[in-house]
Amino acid sequence: MPGRRYSFEVNRVSTAPPETLFRLETEGPLWSTWGRPLIVQARWARRGDDNPSGVGAVREVGLWPVLLRERTVEYELDRRHVYTFAGSGLVRDYRAEVFFTPNAAGGTDLRWTGSFTEFVPGTGPLALAALRTAIRFLSAQLVKAADTGR
């Protein structure tokens, strides 16, 4: 029996331009500079096909021995990044999309969405709470890093 499908959306506003946030979010090893204390280690498991951070790239983030592998499946420079979990058994069919939209104030409207199917029936609400909380934290850290230039 297939599990239920869940989704979430997190929105933030940054004073930094889209290209700054895009670079920080797509460049795998940079996650350990702005994602702490949640992300302590970040590295490339595989570089992208045409661009090091682009389609086919796999970043590993977290803290050993718990490292999530995230595979880039769509990459629109300075505009949109889409990734899935590569090999994770926590949820099925996870897909995250991060949108970087210039705003009238000269900054960026950031929208980070995610969706997945629960791996074990009944575990979806807990997985949803964990993923939404993690993305809320990471998006706030990303904006803070972009806005302060660190």
Side-chain angles (χ1 to χ4, degrees), residues 4 6 13 16-17 19 22 35 39 44 51 55 66 70 72 80 87 89 109 119 121-122 125 137-138 140 142 150:
R4 290 183 53 207
Y6 294 86
V13 177
E19 56 270 15
F22 185 86
I39 307 297
W44 290 119
N51 181 304
V55 173
V66 181
E70 300 173 338
T72 296
R80 182 170 163 262
D109 293 328
F119 187 71
F137 173 80
L138 289 170
L142 175 62
R150 50 167 200 130

Side-chain angles (χ1 to χ4, degrees), residues 43-55:
R43 63 180 180 235
W44 290 119
R46 181 183 187 283
R47 301 300 289 230
D49 299 330
D50 296 325
N51 181 304
S53 303
V55 173

Side-chain angles (χ1 to χ4, degrees), residues 45 100 115 146:
F100 308 86
S115 62

Side-chain angles (χ1 to χ4, degrees), residues 6-124:
Y6 294 86
S7 62
F8 62 87
E9 179 174 318
V10 174
N11 293 284
R12 301 271 183 212
V13 177
S14 171
T15 59
E19 56 270 15
T20 300
L21 283 99
F22 185 86
R23 182 182 61 81
L24 289 169
E25 193 274 328
T26 59
E27 181 65 34
L30 290 179
W31 280 53
S32 63
T33 65
W34 58 262
R36 290 179 181 266
L38 190 59
I39 307 297
V40 176
Q41 294 175 294
R43 63 180 180 235
W44 290 119
R46 181 183 187 283
R47 301 300 289 230
D49 299 330
D50 296 325
N51 181 304
S53 303
V55 173
V58 177
R59 63 184 174 213
E60 293 180 330
V61 296
L63 176 60
W64 188 89
V66 181
L67 292 173
L68 287 176
R69 295 170 56 92
E70 300 173 338
R71 178 182 324 279
T72 296
V73 295
E74 295 181 41
Y75 182 92
E76 296 175 41
L77 186 63
D78 298 337
R79 188 170 171 271
R80 182 170 163 262
H81 179 231
V82 181
Y83 65 92
T84 61
F85 284 160
S88 173
L90 303 173
V91 296
R92 286 189 299 177
D93 306 320
Y94 181 76
R95 179 181 173 93
E97 296 190 48
V98 190
F99 299 89
F100 308 86
T101 306
N103 62 34
T108 304
D109 293 328
L110 174 72
R111 182 166 55 107
W112 200 323
T113 66
S115 62
F116 64 92
T117 302
E118 62 188 358
F119 187 71
V120 175
T123 61

